Amino acid sequence: MPPVGQTDDQDPGTFGCREHPLASGRRQHGVGGDPDRSLDRDRAESLAAELVDRCQDAANAAEVDLDVVLECRYGGYRLRADAPEVEAADRALRACGYEPRHVVTGGGSDVNALRVQGVACVNMANGTENAHQPDERVTVHALDEMLEVALALV
C-alpha cells in the first residue's frame, strides 16, 4: 500500500487523503499527493500511480465516480554545499554567530517554486517552533535574529 505522509526520511514527497467542501454541500474526498517535493521523480510517480489505482479500486467497489487530476507545480531539489546561494547563506549565518547545518526537509516552500523559475535561492530555518502544529509559533527573539541574518545577506 502506498504510504500516507512523508514517504521516508530521505525523500520529502508526501501522500495522503484530504476532504474538501463543495458548493453543493456534499463533500469531496481528494487524494492528496505532493510528489512535487520528491527528490526521486520516478519513485514519486510510481507511488502516486499506485495510490490513484487503489482509490479507483475503492471507488469502483462503492460504485462511485472518481476524477483524478495530477499536476506537477514544482520539483524537489538538493543543493551542493558549494552552491553560491548556499555559501551566501552560510556566510550570513556565521556573521551572526550561527554554525550552518544543511538538512533535507520535508517541506515545499516558495523556494521550490522560485527555483523552477531559475531563481538561485535557499530555504533557511527561521526559528519556528512546532511547525505545522496547532501551537506553531515564532518568538519575537527568533524574528529579531532572522532579521539580522537577512541584513547580513544584503
Side-chain angles (χ1 to χ4, degrees):
M1 175 153 181
V4 174
Q6 187 168 330
T7 54
D8 59 41
D9 290 340
Q10 298 302 310
D11 193 341
T14 58
F15 295 87
C17 295
R18 55 182 168 250
E19 189 174 273
H20 301 285
L22 294 175
S24 68
R26 297 180 312 145
R27 300 197 71 77
Q28 172 185 9
H29 295 277
V31 176
D34 198 355
D36 294 339
R37 301 183 318 205
S38 180
L39 299 174
D40 183 341
R41 173 59 71 197
D42 291 339
R43 180 169 178 255
E45 288 176 358
S46 175
L47 287 169
E50 184 180 350
L51 187 59
V52 169
D53 287 346
R54 288 181 180 262
C55 289
Q56 188 63 59
D57 290 345
N60 290 341
E63 298 180 356
V64 297
D65 293 332
L66 174 68
D67 296 322
V68 177
V69 176
L70 296 177
E71 65 178 11
C72 180
R73 297 163 297 183
Y74 48 80
Y77 65 93
R78 186 180 297 253
L79 301 174
R80 295 180 7 193
D82 63 350
E85 60 269 36
V86 175
E87 290 179 338
D90 287 353
R91 280 192 303 275
L93 287 164
R94 285 191 183 101
C96 294
Y98 300 101
E99 185 56 34
R101 189 169 51 102
H102 305 159
V103 298
V104 175
T105 69
S109 71
D110 294 342
V111 172
N112 296 74
L114 289 168
R115 294 192 68 79
V116 168
Q117 301 299 317
V119 177
C121 52
V122 61
N123 210 358
M124 298 173 68
N126 66 353
T128 299
E129 299 173 16
N130 304 320
H132 309 297
Q133 303 299 316
D135 60 343
E136 177 177 338
R137 64 186 171 275
V138 182
T139 64
V140 171
H141 179 70
L143 291 172
D144 287 341
E145 290 176 330
M146 279 312 295
L147 175 59
E148 293 302 317
V149 173
L151 292 172
L153 278 168
V154 293

